[in-house]
Amino acid sequence: MTFTLQAPVLEGTLVRLEPLEHRHAAELAMAAEEDRDTYAFTWVPRAQEAEAYIDAAFARAAAGRLAPYAQISLATGRAVGVTAYLEPRSWRTDDRLDAVEVGFTWLARSAQGTGVNAEAKLLLFRHAFEEWQVSRIDLKTDARNTRSRAAIESVGARFEGVLRNWSRSWVPGEEGRLRDSAMYSITAAEWPERRPLLEARVRKSAGTAGRTAG
């Protein structure tokens, strides 16, 4: 595959996705420490680990396996989390991408439930389907992570099953162990139906945010 996985800037009404850089480290360190109760199954750095966390993302990006983003709240102008494209796949001989995963995602507690996640997914999905013309987008999470599974389902992804011992566990105390992963996807054929539903959800969140600010 000759396709190069890159992270172009993607901007909506609630969030701007910027290629992850070390200049985001201080704000991400603050975001990660707001409230860690929702991070039991997710790799979220401690404040002192933010620089090393970004270096690790850069290493995966250099290998062509990750295009990481900082999620910037347009309400505050601050980095409130991270997301990414990862694991690009192609089975054809031309320079096209067949499938890509959206993941590596976390948000500060204050940004959860605000529509930021929904719009970030909308931006990532739209670019992948409409610019890269992928056939499918993958999403996965620890099978035990009911909160994450609900969030994935809320953006229109279809549950495909659980793959046992599929990927590394991020649960404290489970270092070196593998987890079962709940697998989800959206296909290109489904995207025309999913897009307006996701756009409507983002508009509703943006309207609520506007009324709250006013």
Side-chain angles (χ1 to χ4, degrees):
M1 183 182 72
T2 58
F3 181 90
T4 301
L5 190 63
Q6 296 179 330
V9 174
L10 302 173
E11 183 164 340
T13 58
L14 299 171
V15 65
R16 180 174 64 254
L17 302 182
E18 299 178 352
L20 183 65
E21 298 179 6
H22 277 288
R23 64 186 174 86
H24 299 119
E27 292 178 358
L28 290 175
M30 294 176 59
E33 294 295 342
E34 283 186 6
D35 180 349
R36 298 187 63 86
D37 288 346
T38 62
Y39 300 152
F41 298 98
T42 307
W43 181 22
V44 180
R46 302 303 309 224
Q48 67 273 18
E49 298 169 337
E51 295 281 357
Y53 174 87
I54 293 172
D55 284 336
F58 286 172
R60 292 183 68 186
R65 297 177 54 210
L66 185 77
Y69 284 102
Q71 301 195 66
I72 310 299
S73 167
L74 295 182
T76 65
R78 300 179 67 87
V80 294
V82 170
T83 192
Y85 289 119
L86 63 156
E87 302 300 341
R89 300 189 307 286
S90 180
W91 297 277
R92 288 174 286 203
T93 57
D94 59 358
D95 188 20
R96 284 186 57 188
L97 187 65
D98 285 305
V100 70
E101 183 176 341
V102 168
F104 202 65
T105 302
W106 62 269
L107 279 172
R109 183 65 186 90
S110 61
Q112 296 174 23
T114 64
V116 166
N117 178 64
E119 187 169 52
K121 294 299 191 294
L122 171 62
L123 295 170
L124 292 164
F125 294 169
R126 188 170 62 197
H127 185 79
F129 281 124
E130 299 176 16
E131 298 299 324
W132 290 341
Q133 298 186 332
V134 299
S135 296
R136 63 175 276 146
I137 288 174
D138 308 322
L139 302 100
K140 69 175 185 289
T141 189
D142 191 307
R144 299 166 293 181
N145 192 344
T146 56
R147 184 187 184 94
S148 178
R149 292 180 67 164
I152 291 172
E153 291 167 4
S154 75
V155 297
R158 179 176 177 178
F159 177 57
E160 295 185 324
V162 173
L163 297 182
R164 296 176 296 169
N165 290 345
W166 183 251
S167 54
R168 175 181 177 178
S169 174
W170 298 107
V171 175
E174 294 187 0
E175 292 79 5
R177 292 175 56 183
L178 297 175
R179 74 181 194 194
D180 294 348
S181 290
M183 311 297 290
Y184 294 81
S185 71
I186 298 176
T187 68
E190 294 167 338
W191 177 238
E193 178 184 358
R194 299 293 195 274
R195 175 175 172 168
L197 297 175
L198 198 46
E199 288 173 335
R201 181 178 168 194
V202 171
R203 284 195 299 271
K204 182 177 179 180
S205 295
T208 300
R211 290 193 297 273
T212 302

